[in-house]
């Protein structure tokens, strides 16, 4: 239903988080502007109605930040450094095999330094492309890194104008070709702008 100009688009009670996200992605593809609700903190209808009644100005400000825009995720997956392997210019130098407790701590510190450098270079590359294409409209949010014992996955959420999605993907691809960066790059889109404006069930708008 509609409340003070807001249409509450609820989910079925048995809807899974994945189904919830797929439904929001469908709205993105259909060019529907909405303030996304986290699948992990979806309020009940009563809570949503209370928020609309008590926080309408804050909701409108949050909605203005994402109106006409889409979120995408830029992801880079690289191999974590192994002892004795040449890591190349992106991640560092050859590290000899080290054994023992002190050696383990040294190896851990070296790997953390290399991964921090890779993360900084990744963030700078994404920022360069966003700033070139969307100096005013584009926004970037850091996401927690992931991966496995063998791989490191770096991620950034990017907010772009709906009409600029393809342009961003093409510009990033061209930038990567010029720079010769190693690793497996991916752009996941379109996504609801959860990293930039979400309505939480406790009434906080971020």
């Amino acid at each position: 239903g509609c409340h003070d100009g807001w249409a509450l688009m609820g989910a079925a009670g048995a809807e899974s988080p994945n189904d919830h996200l797929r439904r929001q992605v469908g709205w993105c593809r259909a060019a529907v502007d909405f303030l996304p609700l986290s699948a992990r903190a979806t309020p009940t209808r009563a809570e949503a109605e209370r928020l609309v009644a008590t926080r309408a100005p804050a909701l409108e400000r949050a909605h203005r930040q994402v109106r006409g825009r889409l979120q995408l995720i830029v992801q880079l997956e690289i191999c974590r450094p192994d002892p004795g392997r040449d890591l190349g210019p992106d991640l560092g130098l050859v590290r000899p095999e080290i054994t023992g407790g002190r050696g383990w701590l040294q190896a851990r510190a070296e790997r953390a330094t290399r991964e921090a450098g890779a993360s900084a270079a990744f963030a700078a590359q994404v920022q360069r492309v966003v700033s070139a294409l969307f100096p005013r409209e584009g926004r970037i949010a850091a996401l927690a890194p992931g991966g496995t014992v063998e791989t490191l996955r770096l991620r950034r959420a990017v907010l772009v104008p709906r009409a600029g999605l393809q342009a961003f993907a093409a510009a990033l691809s061209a930038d990567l070709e010029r720079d010769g960066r190693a690793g497996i790059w991916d752009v996941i889109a379109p996504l609801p702008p959860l990293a930039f404006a979400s309505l939480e069930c406790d009434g906080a708008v971020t």
Side-chain angles (χ1 to χ4, degrees):
C2 292
H3 299 266
D4 294 331
W6 289 89
L8 302 180
M9 304 165 78
E15 187 175 64
S16 70
N18 284 340
D19 289 338
H20 184 83
L21 178 60
R22 276 194 291 269
R23 196 154 58 91
Q24 291 191 346
V25 168
W27 295 339
C28 292
R29 295 185 186 280
V32 175
D33 284 322
F34 63 98
L35 191 64
L37 309 181
S38 168
R40 294 181 298 275
T42 302
T44 64
R45 173 164 289 276
E47 289 169 333
E49 290 175 350
R50 176 178 57 82
L51 286 171
V52 169
T54 60
R55 302 290 302 279
L59 290 174
E60 181 56 36
R61 286 193 299 271
H63 190 226
R64 279 199 301 269
Q65 296 296 316
V66 300
R67 187 178 295 147
R69 303 181 190 182
L70 293 172
Q71 176 180 308
L72 56 88
I73 291 178
V74 180
Q75 181 172 286
L76 168 63
E77 190 168 292
I78 53 179
C79 293
R80 291 185 188 272
D82 290 330
R85 190 176 71 188
D86 186 348
L87 302 173
D90 288 328
L91 288 180
L93 305 173
V94 173
R95 175 156 52 89
E97 187 73 41
I98 302 174
T99 59
R102 181 179 297 177
W104 180 85
L105 290 175
Q106 180 182 344
R108 183 176 181 180
E110 289 176 356
R111 190 171 91 167
T113 299
R114 290 186 181 91
E115 292 183 358
S119 180
F122 166 73
Q125 190 146 27
V126 174
Q127 181 67 62
R128 182 167 64 240
V129 175
V130 172
S131 296
L133 281 179
F134 313 114
R136 294 171 59 184
E137 307 102 317
R139 295 174 61 193
I140 301 173
L143 301 177
T148 66
V149 173
E150 298 178 345
T151 62
L152 172 65
R153 185 178 300 116
L154 303 171
R155 302 183 304 152
R156 286 292 186 276
V158 181
L159 191 70
V160 301
R162 186 177 287 118
L165 184 60
Q166 296 301 321
F168 176 84
L172 178 64
S173 178
D175 195 76
L176 292 175
E177 287 185 12
R178 285 192 302 269
D179 199 46
R181 294 279 294 166
I184 301 173
W185 289 76
D186 196 12
V187 175
I188 305 169
L191 295 169
L194 287 163
F196 302 95
S198 62
L199 171 64
E200 304 298 345
C201 62
D202 63 0
V205 177
T206 58

